[in-house]
């Protein structure tokens, strides 16, 4: 005797237990997925809150950061202030200040001019075509050299630098001094002393990075460019300190008329109402005894209609022959899997007629038209009737 109870709906508590267990397992998996997703979001948000120290950043410890150069300046007794706001940078500029920055991509032309205007000495450690044009220093060039070059200019602070392997080269404008030139006169360092202030520009991404500072005369060049005054204000451009207004492309909603959105909402509500009104309502499951029995006549009529609709005389003829062969095999006492040729031979022996005639009927070419199909059907029916008569006659004689 078992302790399985029966519910009013006919199901047992033993059968319901596995369903409850699966339901709880499903909910536990959902909770675990939610917790995992929340953990991923938390980790991403925490990592996003950590400021990125990219190339040229004096606090960057990576290969392209410039922390090593900043520390060399501090070791020489030079005061280095790293600022990330142009307002703070302007407020800290003094008469003995060297203003240092990479390409201020996040600032407008007006903001760049206002930033460098109070400084007597400005050094750009990278530059774009915009800065070259704005400060009228020259223009960029696609020329590059892997050969070591020397200063080859009259600036005394560069006399003891030695050789460097420059990165980007420039074509100096009129009145601008070009240092560290290649064979074609393109310079790696541009110096402009016009207007009572000095502006220096060099591509220092592969010269002053932490991973390259010990090569050639890179460290000496960095100290010569940034260590001529007792105070360095190192401005780090960023999008957070930008004065440029973001311009976005118009969205689809901006390009469409005002009535489109309400119309779409009304169509969605109408579709939902129609689905509720005319949609199928699923009731409780109905138990049905299986397997369902389908009468052979229904299958036969269905297949016949399909064959007639397709006008496939050959397929219909093959079906008629297959049925005749199976029925003749049973009547002649042959195996149920006997082939058409074997059945044809047995039928010919029983009827005492030439085998070729019966074989041509059961194994010959299939009918290619409706008329040929009708003729084959009539001949097959006659063959079955003849075999039935012969079998009954033999049984009656015995």
């Amino acid at each position: 005797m078992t302790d399985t109870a029966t519910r009013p709906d006919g199901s047992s508590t033993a059968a319901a237990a596995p369903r409850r267990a699966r339901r709880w397992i499903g909910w536990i998996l959902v909770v675990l997925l939610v917790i995992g997703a929340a953990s991923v979001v938390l980790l991403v948000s925490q990592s996003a809150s950590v400021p990125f120290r990219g190339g040229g950043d004096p606090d960057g410890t990576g290969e392209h950061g410039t922390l090593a150069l900043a520390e060399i300046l501090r070791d020489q007794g030079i005061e280095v202030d790293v600022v990330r706001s142009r307002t703070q940078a302007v407020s800290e500029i003094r008469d003995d200040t060297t203003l240092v920055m990479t390409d201020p991509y996040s600032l407008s032309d007006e903001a760049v001019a206002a930033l460098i205007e109070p400084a007597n000495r400005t050094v750009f450690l990278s530059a774009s075509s915009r800065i070259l044009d704005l400060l009228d220093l020259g223009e960029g060039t696609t020329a590059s050299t892997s050969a070591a070059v020397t200063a080859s200019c009259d600036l005394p602070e560069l006399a003891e630098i030695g050789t460097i392997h420059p990165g980007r080269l420039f074509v100096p404008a009129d009145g601008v001094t070009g240092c560290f030139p290649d064979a074609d006169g393109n310079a790696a360092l541009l110096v402009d002393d016009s207007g009572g202030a000095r502006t220096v520009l060099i591509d220092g991404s592969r010269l002053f990075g932490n991973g390259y500072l010990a090569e050639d005369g890179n460290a000496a060049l960095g100290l010569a460019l940034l260590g001529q005054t007792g105070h360095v204000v190192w401005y780090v451009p960023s999008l957070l300190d930008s004065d440029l207004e973001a311009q976005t492309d118009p969205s689809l909603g901006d390009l469409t008329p005002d009535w489109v959105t309400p119309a779409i909402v009304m169509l969605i509500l109408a579709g939902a109402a129609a689905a509720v009104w005319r949609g199928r309502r699923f009731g409780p499951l109905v138990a049905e005894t299986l397997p369902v029995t389908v009468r052979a006549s229904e299958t036969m009529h269905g297949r016949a209609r399909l064959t007639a609709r397709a006008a496939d005389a050959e397929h219909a003829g093959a079906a008629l022959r297959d049925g005749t062969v199976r029925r003749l095999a049973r009547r002649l006492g042959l195996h149920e899997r006997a082939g058409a040729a074997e059945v044809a031979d047995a039928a010919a022996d029983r009827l005492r007629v030439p085998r070729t005639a019966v074989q041509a009927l059961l194994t010959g070419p299939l009918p290619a038209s409706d008329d040929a199909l009708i003729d084959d059907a009539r001949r097959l029916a006659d063959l079955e009737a003849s075999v039935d008569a012969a079998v009954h006659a033999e049984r009656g004689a015995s």
Side-chain angles (χ1 to χ4, degrees):
M1 180 177 179
T2 62
D3 57 353
T4 301
T6 302
R7 294 183 174 181
D9 59 357
S11 62
S12 62
T13 56
R19 289 197 295 271
R20 287 197 301 269
R22 288 193 296 269
R23 187 182 302 112
W24 279 108
I25 292 174
W27 279 111
I28 292 174
L29 291 177
V30 170
V31 172
L32 292 177
L33 288 175
V34 172
I35 294 175
S39 302
V40 171
V41 172
L42 181 61
L43 291 176
V44 171
S45 61
Q46 289 178 348
S47 62
S49 62
V50 178
F52 173 70
R53 306 304 185 200
D57 194 313
D59 291 334
T61 58
E63 182 180 12
H64 298 284
T66 53
L67 177 62
L69 179 57
E71 291 301 323
I72 290 177
L73 295 173
R74 293 187 177 102
D75 290 342
Q76 297 297 319
I78 300 172
E79 181 184 0
V80 179
D81 292 329
V82 178
V83 296
R84 302 180 185 274
S85 166
R86 65 182 187 278
T87 304
Q88 182 183 359
V90 171
S91 65
E92 294 191 8
I93 292 176
R94 306 191 302 252
D95 292 338
D96 63 337
T97 296
T98 297
L99 177 62
V100 184
M101 73 187 81
T102 55
D103 176 27
Y105 62 92
S106 60
L107 301 182
S108 64
D109 294 349
E110 294 76 11
V112 173
L115 175 61
I116 67 176
E117 192 274 332
N120 294 325
R121 184 182 180 91
T122 304
V123 178
F124 289 92
L125 299 183
S126 66
S128 62
S129 299
R130 180 180 73 103
I131 294 298
L132 291 171
D133 295 338
L134 177 64
L135 303 180
D136 196 20
L137 296 176
E139 60 184 13
T141 177
T142 57
S144 61
T145 178
S146 58
V149 295
T150 58
S152 302
C153 59
D154 296 333
L155 299 180
E157 62 265 29
L158 303 180
E160 304 297 331
I161 298 303
T163 61
I164 64 171
H165 288 79
R168 187 181 178 189
L169 297 176
F170 309 94
V171 178
D174 294 338
V176 176
T177 303
C179 300
F180 298 97
D182 64 359
D184 298 327
N186 302 312
L189 176 68
L190 301 180
V191 181
D192 182 16
D193 290 323
S194 62
R198 168 167 288 188
T199 302
V200 179
L201 184 145
I202 188 172
D203 179 14
S205 56
R206 289 187 59 87
L207 293 174
F208 306 133
N210 297 327
Y212 312 100
L213 194 61
E215 299 177 359
D216 301 324
N218 296 349
L221 177 60
L223 185 59
L225 295 179
L226 308 185
Q228 297 302 311
T229 61
H231 181 222
V232 171
V233 173
W234 201 315
Y235 171 66
V236 183
S238 67
L239 293 176
L240 297 178
D241 190 45
S242 176
D243 65 326
L244 299 174
E245 295 183 0
Q247 296 180 355
T248 59
D249 296 332
S251 63
L252 182 60
D254 298 331
L255 299 176
T256 54
D258 296 337
W259 57 267
V260 172
T261 301
I264 293 175
V265 174
M266 290 184 64
L267 288 176
I268 293 175
L269 294 177
V276 174
W277 172 44
R278 301 294 294 177
R280 181 176 178 182
R281 285 147 174 87
F282 294 97
L285 297 177
V286 178
E288 184 177 359
T289 304
L290 295 177
V292 177
T293 303
V294 180
R295 292 182 296 177
S297 60
E298 295 181 6
T299 305
M300 178 185 67
H301 291 159
R303 295 180 62 182
R305 284 192 295 270
L306 291 175
T307 303
R309 186 179 304 169
D312 189 358
E314 292 186 1
H315 187 273
L320 291 175
R321 287 187 182 183
D322 182 66
T324 297
V325 168
R326 286 188 284 106
R327 288 189 292 272
L328 288 179
R330 287 196 299 269
R331 292 168 186 168
L332 295 174
L334 300 177
H335 191 271
E336 61 180 3
R337 297 183 180 179
E342 185 180 355
V343 172
D345 291 342
D349 291 340
R350 187 64 57 90
L351 298 177
R352 301 183 183 280
V353 297
R355 296 182 178 182
T356 54
V358 181
Q359 287 181 351
L361 180 59
L362 296 182
T363 63
L366 294 172
S369 62
D370 291 344
D371 293 340
L373 176 62
I374 294 173
D375 183 60
D376 265 19
R378 185 179 297 110
R379 291 170 59 191
L380 291 171
D382 292 341
L383 176 60
E384 291 190 50
S386 299
V387 171
D388 282 343
V391 171
H392 286 313
E394 291 182 359
R395 289 178 180 175
S398 61

